[in-house]
Amino acid sequence: LSEGEYRLAALQPLGPGAPLYMANNDWVVSETRYMYGDWAEESLLQAERALRVAGQPRPAWLDADYYEQRVASVLGADRRAAVSS
């Protein structure tokens, strides 16, 4: 699996039609050069991605640039890659 395929499969383990989301992502798939040890951050990012899929807006307290880079654009790129596969 690619990183994107993994994130999508882990986000909705029963598929996109099932409203079940998983955020515990402490076994993140990432090249080691990008893994700096903060596994909890990836679980929180996955939770934000699930909330986005469920139609929730970005929380006001979460930096807009960070949200766009780590939640919205990652989720969009993963979905585009899955469709083109």
Side-chain angles (χ1 to χ4, degrees):
L1 291 174
S2 70
E3 286 185 49
E5 290 169 327
Y6 168 80
R7 275 190 299 268
L8 287 177
L11 179 63
Q12 289 185 274
L14 299 181
L20 175 73
Y21 303 95
M22 183 178 70
N24 183 10
N25 195 18
D26 60 352
W27 57 85
V28 63
V29 171
S30 183
E31 294 183 32
T32 56
R33 66 182 168 178
Y34 298 114
M35 185 62 174
Y36 50 89
D38 196 0
W39 57 266
E41 180 183 12
E42 191 59 35
S43 291
L44 294 170
L45 286 167
Q46 195 75 334
E48 286 298 334
R49 292 176 192 128
L51 290 169
R52 183 175 174 87
V53 169
Q56 296 299 309
R58 174 186 62 85
W61 54 264
L62 189 54
D63 180 77
D65 290 336
Y66 180 85
Y67 183 87
E68 179 58 36
Q69 290 174 357
R70 303 296 305 271
V71 177
S73 67
V74 167
L75 187 57
D78 289 350
R79 286 181 161 171
R80 284 188 299 279
V83 169
S84 68
S85 298

